[in-house]
Each structure stands twice: as structure tokens, then as C-alpha cells.
Amino acid sequence: QVHVVESGGGFVQPGGSLRLSCVASGYTLSLYATAWFRQAPGKEREGVACISNSDGSTYYKDSMKGRFTISGDNGKKTKTVYLQMNNLRPEDTAVYYCATDYGDCSVREFGEYGNWGQGTQVTVSS
């Protein structure tokens, strides 16, 4: 059974930075892709970035390129994926979710993922 836990959300002023963390465990780490999604109030969920555990290759939604960076660390039994967010804007306010599933980002992109965390709230406001 795959277990996913996010952390690192909070309140930040416009222009500030946050780093979100996602710890996943319980699966063959090298065969999965891990992605960040977000959902703002009243809006549909959207993909942010994805990293393939096999080779560390990354994939971003076009509008997220430049300010958001996804990276990952492999532990013996866990995979930690980070989302560094810089120059945050009020429109980045959302619940950010981490999701993981078998495959790599070039194929899965922001399609269906079977394992999700509970989400972490990010609020950008002055």
C-alpha cells in the first residue's frame, strides 16, 4: 500500500517562497512518477510539476515553468519530492496535493494518479 504525506504549506506574502515536501512510501520507488497538483477555491485541480523516479526527469505545466522547481531524494524505503515555489503570487493560493503512481512523467504527465496525499494549504496574501 502506498502512503503519501505532504508538508510545508503556510502563509506567505506576495513575492515570497515556500518549499513543499512529499514523502511517499510503500512501493518500488524506482518505477513511479510523483507529481504535484493544486486546487484553488472554485477551480478545477491542475497539474504543477512531475518527476520520474527512474531517472529524475521532470515535466512542468507550461504556466508553472520558471517559478516552480520539482526535485527528489531517494531513501531506502521512501521517496521525498520537493516543490520549490518562488516569487509567489496571490493566484498561487490553493491546496497543493502530491500524487504518485506507476510509470514516468513523459507518459503519465498529469493524468490519473492512484495514490494521493491529504494536501497542504498555501496562502499568498499581503
Side-chain angles (χ1 to χ4, degrees):
Q1 183 176 359
V2 179
H3 189 55
V4 181
V5 179
E6 307 99 333
S7 62
F11 182 93
V12 63
Q13 293 186 338
S17 298
L18 279 176
R19 188 175 80 156
L20 306 182
S21 298
C22 168
V23 179
S25 60
Y27 62 95
T28 306
L29 303 175
S30 62
L31 301 180
Y32 276 54
T34 303
W36 284 98
F37 293 79
R38 70 183 187 184
Q39 187 165 21
K43 295 187 177 181
E44 292 187 355
R45 187 179 65 201
E46 62 176 343
V48 176
C50 179
I51 186 167
S52 297
N53 295 1
S54 60
D55 61 3
S57 58
T58 58
Y59 177 85
Y60 293 87
K61 183 175 181 178
D62 285 344
S63 59
M64 308 298 175
K65 293 178 181 178
R67 297 189 299 120
F68 292 77
T69 304
I70 190 170
S71 62
D73 292 330
N74 285 325
K76 285 187 176 181
K77 296 183 179 181
T78 61
K79 171 72 176 183
T80 302
V81 172
Y82 305 98
L83 183 68
Q84 178 68 43
M85 307 185 294
N86 298 325
N87 191 22
L88 284 164
R89 305 165 180 167
E91 53 265 39
D92 295 318
T93 295
V95 178
Y96 284 72
Y97 297 92
C98 179
T100 189
D101 212 327
Y102 184 86
D104 62 50
C105 298
S106 62
V107 175
R108 187 166 290 279
E109 296 183 350
F110 299 122
E112 293 297 320
Y113 283 74
N115 308 287
W116 292 80
Q118 293 299 306
T120 185
Q121 176 71 46
V122 172
T123 302
V124 185
S125 176
S126 56

